């Protein structure tokens, strides 16, 4: 049984998010949405997109819960824990301008420079 009839010009990609169906349209160069059961509340979400090829919904309920080396205590990293495809399958990193200590886990304290110009 069709959800939406007669108003679609060139639908291409579609995705679902709970009760809403979203799709891209090549002719209108836009993203549309409606209720996935009834087709009600049809609306244009975004327009002026050049060749909208695909659409994806990324929501917490769609993400699997996976335990990683960074799951427990941030992998022991003081700042950033980055997953890696090689053992030990993670590495610690620091924000831009801050260096990692030799222990490979802790970032050196950042230095703040204050310049005062007394002219």
């Amino acid at each position: 049984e069709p959800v939406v009839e007669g108003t679609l010009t060139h639908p291409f990609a579609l995705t679902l998010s709970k009760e809403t169906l979203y799709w891209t349209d090549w002719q209108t160069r836009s993203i549309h949405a409606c209720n996935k059961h009834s087709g009600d509340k049809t609306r244009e979400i975004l327009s002026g997109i050049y060749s909208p090829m695909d659409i994806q919904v990324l929501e917490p309920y769609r993400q699997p819960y996976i335990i990683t080396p960074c799951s427990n205590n941030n992998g022991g990293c003081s700042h950033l824990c980055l997953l890696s495809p090689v053992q030990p399958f993670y590495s610690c990193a620091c924000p831009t301008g801050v260096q990692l200590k030799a222990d490979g886990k802790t970032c050196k304290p950042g230095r703040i420079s204050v310049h005062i110009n007394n002219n």
Side-chain angles (χ1 to χ4, degrees), residues 7 15-16 21-22 25 27 31 33 39 44 46 49 60 63-64 79 97 104 114:
T7 57
T15 190
L16 285 171
L21 173 67
Y22 296 92
D25 190 298
Q27 187 171 323
I31 297 172
E44 186 177 78
L46 187 63
I49 306 168
Q63 307 304 314
H79 287 70
V114 177

Side-chain angles (χ1 to χ4, degrees), residues 11 15 28 56 59 61 64 72 78 80 90 93 112:
T15 190
T28 62
Q56 299 287 326
E59 293 184 283
Y61 79 92
N72 186 16
S78 66
L80 303 173
Y90 78 101
I112 299 174

Side-chain angles (χ1 to χ4, degrees), residues 9-69:
T9 53
H10 192 158
F12 188 72
L14 60 90
T15 190
L16 285 171
S17 174
K18 297 180 181 156
E19 299 299 306
T20 305
L21 173 67
Y22 296 92
W23 69 91
T24 61
D25 190 298
W26 277 9
Q27 187 171 323
T28 62
R29 296 181 177 176
S30 56
I31 297 172
H32 300 264
C34 71
N35 179 280
K36 75 176 184 179
H37 300 290
S38 64
D40 291 346
K41 300 181 183 173
T42 301
R43 60 206 181 275
E44 186 177 78
I45 301 292
L46 187 63
S47 62
I49 306 168
Y50 180 76
S51 295
M53 298 295 285
D54 200 8
I55 187 166
Q56 299 287 326
V57 172
L58 304 173
E59 293 184 283
Y61 79 92
R62 287 187 170 198
Q63 307 304 314
Y65 179 74
I66 298 173
I67 299 204
T68 71

Side-chain angles (χ1 to χ4, degrees), residues 74-93:
N74 198 40
C77 303
S78 66
H79 287 70
L80 303 173
C81 183
L82 308 176
L83 295 177
S84 168
V86 296
Q87 284 190 323
F89 304 112
Y90 78 101
S91 62
C92 297

